[in-house]
Amino acid sequence: MRHLFKLKWALIFTLIFTYSCSDQDDNPVQPPVSSDLEIQDFIWKSMNSWYLWQPEVENLSDSKDDNNEQYNAFLSNYGPPEGIFSDVLSPKDRFSYIESDYDNLFNSFSGVATTNGVEFVVTRPPEGGNKVLGVVTYVINGSDASNKNVKRGDLFNAIDGTELYAITDSNGSIIESNFSLFNQESYTMNFATIENDLVVSNNVNIELNKSELTENPIHIHKTLEVNNTKIGYLMYNRFVGDFDEELNNVFSEFKADGVTDLVVDLRYNPGGSVASSTRLASLITGQFTGELFSKATWNPKWSDFDEDNNFVDNIDGTALNSLNLSRVYIIATDASASASELLINGLDPWIGVTHIGDKTVGKNEFSITLIDNPNTSSPYAYTGSASLAGVNPNHKYALQPLVGTNENSAGFSEFTDGLDPDIEKLEVLGDLGVLGDPNEPLLAVAIEQITGVSNKSLNLRTSDKLNINTIKSSNDFMPYRNISNYDFYRMK
């Protein structure tokens, strides 16, 4: 009997041991993600969670990290963090960005940048070919360039004595260039003129040095009186939340001046804060408080964040100095993007919007900042300085991926090819004019539309070879300038 009892317990022990081993084989202990891959791990997991096109990107599949050994091997396939970030982007994506130091992003949201102050576009010279010509569009106040007699309309064709070039494909995308010359902290800009449709050096060479400075995006504001009509003119070069109160003060001046018409010049504005765009729309109008300006649609995992961005009547409790206009004239070009396009598209169902200039860039998406802190209610999302308290101290990488799209109150958002102008008027080499002057060609068109009085200078014909078609702009060499930020830290 005792023998049978021992045999029974031996059999039970064997069954338990066998089941235990079998269970471990089916669910093996997962090796942790390698500490050498922590940045790549952050990039993948945050993009898997937030990226607009995550469902369409095979390498962002939710099952990719089910097996840590295979996941580690996947992450190990890439060298620098930029490698995996590039690999998980959708072919539809032209704007998502990775930054190795998130302080650069945070500074940019406040208008801080490292620059020599020369804002420019690069276009083809009249003679064509692979050479390019730089055109100074404006100079930032207080910059190195502002003290060295560089001015709007100046042309340059070389940096440090090396002629600039860009080879493009049939779609206009650059496949080879020497634009890396612009990345230097200091360089000499070699200026030129156009003679008989040929670019000729004028032997003016100016050394320029970059420094960190804050650019006020309100570049020009004034009230023009033309034919007894008071016209407000605002040149606004970026949507920066830190300057919204100053923008409100500008509209107070417009009201005091008795402005009845408004021209908003966004020709070089690459975008910025969605909240600032909403506030500017509310300053232009004022009669639609609480009505839908734009609707934000997030990726499917964060559809609970889908929300309406309504017209407002205050900035943190301070009443807006709204003009209650029923029409606005907006200058926008092929350098205008993102929050600039949001302003045009969001106002369009509500008031008359006359778009003067050129087809815009075509960016209807918005982004947020992602940092390596998964231990929040919105994992990885930067929602204010408190988010930095738990951030991974081993690196400062941040992502600025596209996470959603904006549509207007009529449901329209499909303008990835750009918004077409109502009145086409391109800037022309040799005839840029003075910004804010009534005879500046694009502003002159707006004034003509407002007053009905023809400006004779607009009837002068110029060669199409002198039209400025932007290949690159100075904004492209500071990629975080092109961000359309959802102001997640403000809105949530």
Short mmCIF file of all heavy atoms in Angstrom, two decimals, residues 39 98 140 153 186 224 253 275 290 299 307 315 336 341 381 394 410 417 445 466 479:
data_model
loop_
_atom_site.label_atom_id
_atom_site.label_comp_id
_atom_site.label_asym_id
_atom_site.label_seq_id
_atom_site.Cartn_x
_atom_site.Cartn_y
_atom_site.Cartn_z
N ILE A 39 16.89 54.28 -27.80
CA ILE A 39 16.37 55.38 -28.64
C ILE A 39 15.53 54.80 -29.77
O ILE A 39 14.43 55.29 -30.07
CB ILE A 39 17.52 56.24 -29.19
CG1 ILE A 39 18.35 56.82 -28.05
CG2 ILE A 39 16.95 57.37 -30.06
CD1 ILE A 39 19.56 57.61 -28.51
N ILE A 98 12.67 64.37 -37.11
CA ILE A 98 13.34 63.88 -35.92
C ILE A 98 14.40 64.90 -35.51
O ILE A 98 15.08 65.48 -36.36
CB ILE A 98 13.97 62.48 -36.15
CG1 ILE A 98 14.61 61.95 -34.86
CG2 ILE A 98 14.96 62.49 -37.31
CD1 ILE A 98 15.05 60.50 -34.97
N ILE A 140 16.09 89.50 -40.97
CA ILE A 140 15.55 89.52 -39.61
C ILE A 140 16.19 90.67 -38.82
O ILE A 140 17.42 90.82 -38.81
CB ILE A 140 15.83 88.19 -38.89
CG1 ILE A 140 15.13 87.04 -39.64
CG2 ILE A 140 15.35 88.24 -37.45
CD1 ILE A 140 15.46 85.66 -39.10
N GLY A 153 15.68 91.54 -52.06
CA GLY A 153 15.91 91.65 -53.50
C GLY A 153 17.34 91.37 -53.92
O GLY A 153 17.60 91.16 -55.12
N SER A 186 29.30 79.82 -40.13
CA SER A 186 29.74 81.04 -40.79
C SER A 186 30.05 80.72 -42.25
O SER A 186 30.59 79.65 -42.56
CB SER A 186 30.99 81.62 -40.13
OG SER A 186 30.75 81.97 -38.78
N LEU A 224 -2.66 101.62 -44.18
CA LEU A 224 -2.49 102.37 -45.41
C LEU A 224 -3.81 103.08 -45.74
O LEU A 224 -4.88 102.49 -45.60
CB LEU A 224 -2.12 101.43 -46.56
CG LEU A 224 -0.89 100.54 -46.35
CD1 LEU A 224 -0.80 99.50 -47.46
CD2 LEU A 224 0.38 101.37 -46.31
N GLU A 253 -4.70 98.39 -32.73
CA GLU A 253 -4.29 99.56 -33.51
C GLU A 253 -5.12 99.67 -34.79
O GLU A 253 -5.52 100.77 -35.19
CB GLU A 253 -2.80 99.45 -33.85
CG GLU A 253 -1.87 99.56 -32.66
CD GLU A 253 -0.41 99.43 -33.04
OE1 GLU A 253 -0.06 99.82 -34.18
OE2 GLU A 253 0.38 98.94 -32.22
N ALA A 275 -3.32 76.76 -32.61
CA ALA A 275 -4.05 77.69 -31.75
C ALA A 275 -3.88 79.13 -32.22
O ALA A 275 -4.84 79.92 -32.22
CB ALA A 275 -3.57 77.56 -30.30
N GLY A 290 -17.44 80.56 -31.05
CA GLY A 290 -18.08 79.29 -30.73
C GLY A 290 -18.41 78.43 -31.92
O GLY A 290 -18.71 77.24 -31.78
N ASN A 299 -5.11 59.95 -35.50
CA ASN A 299 -4.99 58.58 -35.99
C ASN A 299 -5.98 57.70 -35.21
O ASN A 299 -6.48 58.08 -34.15
CB ASN A 299 -3.53 58.09 -35.93
CG ASN A 299 -3.17 57.31 -34.68
OD1 ASN A 299 -3.88 57.28 -33.70
ND2 ASN A 299 -2.00 56.71 -34.70
N GLU A 307 -11.51 66.56 -32.21
CA GLU A 307 -12.25 67.65 -31.59
C GLU A 307 -12.40 68.83 -32.53
O GLU A 307 -11.71 68.96 -33.54
CB GLU A 307 -11.56 68.11 -30.31
CG GLU A 307 -10.25 68.82 -30.51
CD GLU A 307 -9.71 69.38 -29.20
OE1 GLU A 307 -10.38 69.28 -28.17
OE2 GLU A 307 -8.60 69.93 -29.23
N ILE A 315 -7.88 85.57 -25.43
CA ILE A 315 -6.62 84.86 -25.24
C ILE A 315 -6.35 84.81 -23.74
O ILE A 315 -6.05 85.83 -23.13
CB ILE A 315 -5.45 85.57 -25.95
CG1 ILE A 315 -5.67 85.65 -27.45
CG2 ILE A 315 -4.13 84.85 -25.67
CD1 ILE A 315 -4.61 86.46 -28.19
N SER A 336 4.23 79.21 -48.57
CA SER A 336 3.23 79.28 -47.49
C SER A 336 2.68 77.88 -47.23
O SER A 336 2.28 77.18 -48.16
CB SER A 336 2.08 80.21 -47.89
OG SER A 336 2.56 81.47 -48.34
N GLU A 341 -2.10 77.73 -44.49
CA GLU A 341 -3.16 77.14 -45.30
C GLU A 341 -4.40 76.87 -44.46
O GLU A 341 -5.53 76.98 -44.94
CB GLU A 341 -2.65 75.85 -45.94
CG GLU A 341 -1.52 76.09 -46.93
CD GLU A 341 -0.80 74.81 -47.34
OE1 GLU A 341 -0.27 74.11 -46.45
OE2 GLU A 341 -0.75 74.51 -48.54
N ALA A 381 3.81 61.76 -25.44
CA ALA A 381 3.41 63.09 -25.92
C ALA A 381 3.91 64.17 -24.96
O ALA A 381 3.74 64.06 -23.75
CB ALA A 381 1.90 63.18 -26.07
N ASN A 394 18.95 59.59 -20.64
CA ASN A 394 20.11 59.13 -21.41
C ASN A 394 20.21 59.75 -22.79
O ASN A 394 21.22 59.58 -23.49
CB ASN A 394 20.08 57.60 -21.54
CG ASN A 394 20.18 56.91 -20.20
OD1 ASN A 394 20.82 57.42 -19.27
ND2 ASN A 394 19.53 55.75 -20.07
N ALA A 410 -16.80 72.96 -43.60
CA ALA A 410 -17.50 72.34 -44.73
C ALA A 410 -17.00 70.92 -44.99
O ALA A 410 -17.45 70.26 -45.92
CB ALA A 410 -17.35 73.20 -45.98
N ASP A 417 -2.03 68.99 -52.77
CA ASP A 417 -1.34 69.61 -53.92
C ASP A 417 -1.26 71.12 -53.79
O ASP A 417 -0.71 71.79 -54.66
CB ASP A 417 -2.06 69.25 -55.23
CG ASP A 417 -1.93 67.78 -55.58
OD1 ASP A 417 -0.91 67.17 -55.19
OD2 ASP A 417 -2.85 67.24 -56.23
N VAL A 445 -1.79 94.34 -55.97
CA VAL A 445 -2.94 93.59 -56.49
C VAL A 445 -4.08 93.62 -55.48
O VAL A 445 -5.24 93.84 -55.83
CB VAL A 445 -2.55 92.14 -56.82
CG1 VAL A 445 -3.79 91.31 -57.16
CG2 VAL A 445 -1.56 92.09 -57.98
N LEU A 466 11.84 85.19 -65.49
CA LEU A 466 12.19 85.93 -64.28
C LEU A 466 11.27 85.61 -63.11
O LEU A 466 11.48 86.10 -62.00
CB LEU A 466 12.15 87.44 -64.56
CG LEU A 466 13.15 87.95 -65.60
CD1 LEU A 466 12.95 89.45 -65.82
CD2 LEU A 466 14.59 87.67 -65.16
N PRO A 479 14.37 72.75 -40.24
CA PRO A 479 13.15 71.99 -40.50
C PRO A 479 12.04 72.19 -39.49
O PRO A 479 10.86 72.12 -39.81
CB PRO A 479 13.65 70.54 -40.49
CG PRO A 479 15.10 70.63 -40.84
CD PRO A 479 15.57 71.92 -40.22
#
